[in-house]
Amino acid sequence: MTRVSFHFNVPHRLGYACRLLRKATRQNARVTITGPASALAELDRALWTFEATEFLPHVLVHSSDALPERQRGTPVCLVESLAGALHHDVLLNLGAEPPAGFESFERLVEIVSTDDGDRAAARARWKHYASRGYQIEKHEVEG
């Protein structure tokens, strides 16, 4: 069963996502990120600029694109739809809704900012997962 974890009180979601992805790739995890196209585009830009001396290999897959064979080994894949997911180790959700197909991943991570709207959407996602019997890990992010 998919392990679900929520990271609460994150001051800057994209910066936190970049640090989380850096940690995951250092541990050889393969991560799929899903969310709206605008959030994925912002994360794509952030991954190029968040750390001056590091590069996190990643690929942004548009819903209509076929991913070239040479990019299939990329450890971080940004997709709007999980139908385009290349690997199923870790899923990072940047969307407001539970992603369709999340249960095919070993782990699901939800990042929740301090914004009231984001927190309300996270509560709804929490209820969704809990009502389906998923055990949820809660992580409070400090400052």
Side-chain angles (χ1 to χ4, degrees):
M1 182 174 263
T2 302
R3 289 178 34 222
V4 178
S5 37
F6 278 75
H7 297 237
F8 286 101
N9 299 315
V10 175
H12 187 261
R13 286 181 84 202
L14 291 181
Y16 188 82
C18 289
R19 290 188 302 279
L20 197 64
L21 291 170
R22 177 178 56 198
K23 181 179 179 181
T25 56
R26 284 180 178 170
Q27 296 173 350
N28 295 318
R30 296 166 56 101
V31 185
T32 298
I33 300 100
T34 191
S38 59
L40 296 176
E42 282 185 67
L43 181 59
D44 179 43
R45 282 190 299 276
L47 286 170
W48 284 99
T49 60
F50 93 101
E51 189 69 48
T53 59
E54 290 187 56
F55 172 71
L56 288 177
H58 66 283
V59 61
L60 175 59
V61 181
H62 298 283
S63 55
S64 61
D65 290 350
L67 190 64
E69 186 66 36
R70 70 182 184 280
Q71 292 180 321
R72 293 187 182 270
T74 305
V76 176
C77 187
L78 290 70
V79 299
E80 287 179 65
S81 165
L82 294 183
L86 298 177
H87 22 78
H88 292 89
D89 295 344
V90 179
L91 173 63
L92 174 60
N93 181 30
L94 296 180
E97 302 292 324
F102 76 89
E103 58 280 337
S104 66
F105 287 80
E106 292 177 28
R107 184 166 184 212
L108 168 63
V109 177
E110 296 275 0
I111 299 174
V112 185
S113 72
T114 55
D115 175 75
D116 289 338
D118 190 32
R119 294 174 68 80
R123 280 192 290 278
R125 291 192 308 274
W126 181 294
K127 288 178 185 176
H128 174 84
Y129 303 132
S131 72
R132 285 156 178 76
Y134 289 91
Q135 296 294 317
I136 301 172
E137 301 169 359
K138 181 178 179 182
H139 303 278
E140 292 288 339
V141 176
E142 296 182 22

